[in-house]
Amino acid sequence: MAFLVVPPIAFMSLFVVYPILSAFAYAFYDWQGLARGEFVGLKNFKEVLFGVTMAPVVWNAFLHNVYALVALMIIQNGGGFLFAWLLYKEPFGFRFHRVAVFVPVVLSTIIVGFLWKLFLNPNFGIVNQALYSLGLDSLAKPWLGDSSTALGALILANAWHFVGFPTLVYLAGMQRIPPEIIEAARLDGTNEWQLLKNVVWPLVAPSTTILFTLLFIGAFNWFEIPYVMVGLDGSPFGTTDVLGLVFYRTAFGNQSASIQNFGMGSALATLLFLFIVVFASMLTLWLRRREIQF
């Protein structure tokens, strides 16, 4: 049995546990570029959370992660639930629709970000071109260059990319519901909204637990789409800045801010890791309490 157990443990220890512990250790040192300096205790953590320079950037990015979490919870998971219900009723061509809604999920996030950057281009993007063709010229704008729409554009691109995943998970949950339960509810005279709210939604609670927990983790690890679509600075004016971008800029530097502080970057990564582990665990425990066994 040892040959089955030792390799995965060694793999996890080398590529997961060791990097996490290393980042935690690096956070307690002062760094000059990639050269480790003296031990500074909790100084890097204090600077990240309360420092005059660093804290406003970190808390601003944290709020954007929270906005993304709430918006994706509604748009991505909510949309996935509704799509799943439509597919569950097996409309004409449902097999094609089921594949079509999942296709964006298999695309590379880098490609999706690049495509949406082209779609939202103020000069030739299809979004503004569609608005012009409909006579809605006043609604056309530089979506990624406007502070009021940039973060929303990133969230919509992310929702388009991943909405197929909650759709299939919810669909699998709905297909586990015994048909006689839904038939009995219909015979009792429940309308479509009451059926969804009082029967289907509670019975797909295990799917909700999985999707909400994964979305929470994904929202606070958000990096690829913001990086591809707006760059490392979270432009315009930091309105799309998220913790992943702040960590990368802080630890590895960028063209606009050449300062590289590996210690504070490690401190931010450590705090983010602890935050995700603690709150994801609490969220999972809370959601599992509302699951119904049938």
Side-chain angles (χ1 to χ4, degrees), residues 105-277:
V105 179
V106 302
L107 297 176
S108 163
T109 305
I110 304 299
I111 292 175
V112 170
F114 182 71
L115 283 176
W116 273 92
K117 195 172 180 178
L118 295 177
F119 293 163
L120 297 170
N121 186 286
N123 297 318
F124 56 79
I126 61 172
V127 175
N128 279 355
Q129 294 301 322
L131 292 172
Y132 291 140
S133 64
L134 294 172
L136 301 173
D137 298 29
S138 60
L139 297 180
K141 58 178 64 183
W143 301 96
L144 296 176
D146 190 321
S147 301
S148 64
T149 59
L151 184 60
L154 301 186
I155 291 170
L156 286 177
N158 193 90
W160 178 87
H161 183 22
F162 288 112
V163 72
F165 181 69
T167 299
L168 287 197
V169 174
Y170 274 130
L171 180 60
M174 291 174 186
Q175 289 173 336
R176 288 184 63 248
I177 301 174
E180 55 268 24
I181 293 179
I182 293 180
E183 288 301 321
R186 291 190 188 280
L187 289 174
D188 285 341
T190 55
N191 59 36
E192 198 76 1
W193 166 247
Q194 291 170 331
L195 182 65
L196 276 178
K197 178 185 175 187
N198 300 326
V199 179
V200 177
W201 176 250
L203 293 180
V204 297
S207 302
T208 303
T209 300
I210 295 170
L211 292 171
F212 278 30
T213 304
L214 290 178
L215 181 60
F216 177 85
I217 296 171
F220 284 95
N221 278 321
W222 207 27
F223 177 78
E224 291 91 344
I225 282 186
Y227 174 67
V228 173
M229 294 181 67
V230 296
L232 271 179
D233 292 327
S235 61
F237 313 115
T239 52
T240 58
D241 213 4
V242 291
L243 290 172
L245 296 179
V246 177
F247 159 73
Y248 193 96
R249 289 201 307 269
T250 305
F252 303 109
N254 69 337
Q255 292 179 345
S256 61
S258 58
I259 299 173
Q260 178 183 4
N261 193 315
F262 206 67
M264 282 201 288
S266 298
L268 178 58
T270 301
L271 291 170
L272 185 57
F273 171 76
L274 295 175
F275 174 80
I276 290 175
V277 168

Side-chain angles (χ1 to χ4, degrees), residues 12-191:
M12 289 289 292
S13 300
L14 182 61
F15 293 105
V16 178
V17 177
Y18 175 72
I20 292 173
L21 294 179
S22 298
F24 186 70
Y26 294 159
F28 291 94
Y29 288 88
D30 187 25
W31 289 78
Q32 303 297 324
L34 294 177
R36 191 169 68 181
E38 60 181 10
F39 181 82
V40 294
L42 297 174
K43 179 183 175 183
N44 289 326
F45 292 94
K46 289 173 61 178
E47 183 61 30
V48 167
L49 292 175
F50 309 110
V52 176
T53 304
M54 193 72 184
V57 177
V58 170
W59 287 110
N60 177 59
F62 177 78
L63 283 178
H64 293 157
N65 283 96
V66 174
Y67 293 153
L69 171 65
V70 174
L72 291 172
M73 196 77 77
I74 297 170
I75 300 170
Q76 187 172 298
N77 282 3
F81 179 77
L82 294 177
F83 283 141
W85 180 242
L86 294 175
L87 292 173
Y88 174 77
K89 293 193 291 186
E90 300 188 354
F92 176 74
F94 73 95
R95 294 183 190 281
F96 169 77
H97 298 310
R98 188 166 56 189
V99 173
V101 79
F102 192 73
V103 165
V105 179
V106 302
L107 297 176
S108 163
T109 305
I110 304 299
I111 292 175
V112 170
F114 182 71
L115 283 176
W116 273 92
K117 195 172 180 178
L118 295 177
F119 293 163
L120 297 170
N121 186 286
N123 297 318
F124 56 79
I126 61 172
V127 175
N128 279 355
Q129 294 301 322
L131 292 172
Y132 291 140
S133 64
L134 294 172
L136 301 173
D137 298 29
S138 60
L139 297 180
K141 58 178 64 183
W143 301 96
L144 296 176
D146 190 321
S147 301
S148 64
T149 59
L151 184 60
L154 301 186
I155 291 170
L156 286 177
N158 193 90
W160 178 87
H161 183 22
F162 288 112
V163 72
F165 181 69
T167 299
L168 287 197
V169 174
Y170 274 130
L171 180 60
M174 291 174 186
Q175 289 173 336
R176 288 184 63 248
I177 301 174
E180 55 268 24
I181 293 179
I182 293 180
E183 288 301 321
R186 291 190 188 280
L187 289 174
D188 285 341
T190 55
N191 59 36

